[in-house]
């Protein structure tokens, strides 16, 4: 198979819908452009929102975009906990929803530097095998603890046990882990920002030149030439 083309080169901002995997979105871009293609951070299939897709020679600087802070909107059902932290898992506990005052108390403990277990459905490897595969096979594993930073965790609305939350977090933060720590699970999850890039800018037909994309995160074109 011949190598993928190095052009068109640049960054695409894609608003991924619920359903397809991040890999499927990348594969669609690759089919359309014929270029080498990758992403700078996955979204679960049930989640929607901003996906950064690198095309052509710009894939060499994907690591520059992976560590950017993220912003999410999520609806968390606080009446049940699932084994994955989202709506696709099995319910393992049901309980009454907390009061608004109790919810705020729980949120306060999750702001700043936090350490939470990685959700079982996350694409991390445990003993050489992907955690989701082990989970589907019914294998119980001790998920690793991950340290992350929660810069903002605000309630937009709270009704009938479901809280809509607005989060600003460091890269690598699992929103499903936060939902589980609150005593609930994510019903919806939408990524609205990655670093300076916003989902409102998404246009899968527009390719942002590498030097412009790097400039928006404070790096020069030399970052591309050095790789």
């Amino acid at each position: 198979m011949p190598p993928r083309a190095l052009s068109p080169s640049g960054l695409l901002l894609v608003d991924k819908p619920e359903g397809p995997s991040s890999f499927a979105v990348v594969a669609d871009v690759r089919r359309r452009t014929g270029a080498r293609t990758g992403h700078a951070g996955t979204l679960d299939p049930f989640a929607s929102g901003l996906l950064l897709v690198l095309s052509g020679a710009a894939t060499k600087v994907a690591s520059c975009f992976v560590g950017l802070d993220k912003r999410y909107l999520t609806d968390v059902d606080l009446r049940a906990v699932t084994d994955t932290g989202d709506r696709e898992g099995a319910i393992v506990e049901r309980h009454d929803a907390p009061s608004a005052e109790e919810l705020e108390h729980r949120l306060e403990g999750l702001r700043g530097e936090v350490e939470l277990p990685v959700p079982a459905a996350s694409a991390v490897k445990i003993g050489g095998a992907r955690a989701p595969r082990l989970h589907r096979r019914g294998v119980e594993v001790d998920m690793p603890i991950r340290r992350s930073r929660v810069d903002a965790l605000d309630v937009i609305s709270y009704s009938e046990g479901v809280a809509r939350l607005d989060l600003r977090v460091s890269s690598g933060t699992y929103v499903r882990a936060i939902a589980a720590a609150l005593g609930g699970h994510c019903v919806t999850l939408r990524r609205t920002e990655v670093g300076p890039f916003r989902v409102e800018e998404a246009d899968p037909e527009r390719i942002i030149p590498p030097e412009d994309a790097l400039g928006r995160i404070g790096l020069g074109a030399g970052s591309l030439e050095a790789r």
Side-chain angles (χ1 to χ4, degrees):
M1 180 180 293
R4 296 286 181 179
L6 296 181
S7 64
S9 175
L11 175 69
L12 294 87
L13 305 181
V14 180
D15 185 355
K16 188 189 90 65
E18 294 184 12
S21 66
S22 298
F23 177 80
V25 173
V26 169
D28 179 66
V29 173
R30 185 184 297 120
R31 282 192 296 269
R32 289 191 290 109
T33 64
R36 178 187 302 170
T37 313
H39 62 73
T42 61
L43 278 172
D44 292 329
F46 92 95
S48 69
L50 185 58
L51 190 68
L52 303 190
V53 178
L54 284 302
S55 175
T59 56
K60 294 189 294 183
V61 294
S63 60
C64 296
F65 298 89
V66 169
L68 298 175
D69 290 351
K70 313 290 193 300
R71 185 176 185 179
Y72 296 91
L73 288 177
T74 182
D75 292 308
V76 178
D77 188 336
L78 294 164
R79 299 167 296 183
V81 176
T82 70
D83 58 359
T84 59
D86 58 52
R87 70 188 188 211
E88 298 184 338
I91 293 176
V92 295
E93 180 185 330
R94 293 185 185 275
H95 44 244
D96 293 336
S99 66
E101 291 76 16
E102 173 59 23
L103 172 58
E104 180 53 41
H105 176 72
R106 296 181 188 181
L107 291 170
E108 185 59 34
L110 290 169
R111 297 185 177 108
E113 297 286 337
V114 297
E115 291 187 344
L116 295 170
V118 174
S122 301
V124 297
K125 286 188 175 182
I126 305 295
R130 293 289 183 184
R133 182 172 299 176
L134 295 172
H135 176 73
R136 288 192 296 269
R137 286 162 43 192
V139 178
E140 292 189 13
V141 296
D142 291 327
M143 297 302 293
I145 302 297
R146 175 165 293 182
R147 176 184 290 272
S148 57
R149 189 186 73 252
V150 179
D151 294 322
L153 180 55
D154 302 313
V155 179
I156 297 176
S157 63
Y158 185 36
S159 176
E160 299 182 352
V162 178
R164 171 159 288 192
L165 305 177
D166 182 3
L167 305 90
R168 293 178 182 270
V169 298
S170 63
S171 177
T173 302
Y174 289 98
V175 178
R176 288 171 295 153
I178 292 174
L182 289 171
H185 66 279
C186 292
V187 180
T188 67
L189 180 61
R190 181 164 175 79
R191 188 155 68 196
T192 58
E193 296 179 14
V194 178
F197 305 102
R198 305 173 63 212
V199 72
E200 290 83 3
E201 302 176 74
D203 180 353
E205 302 299 325
R206 175 191 174 211
I207 300 180
I208 302 173
E211 58 273 18
D212 292 348
L214 289 166
R216 288 185 61 175
I217 60 173
L219 298 176
S223 299
L224 182 63
E225 297 168 1
R227 293 168 187 255

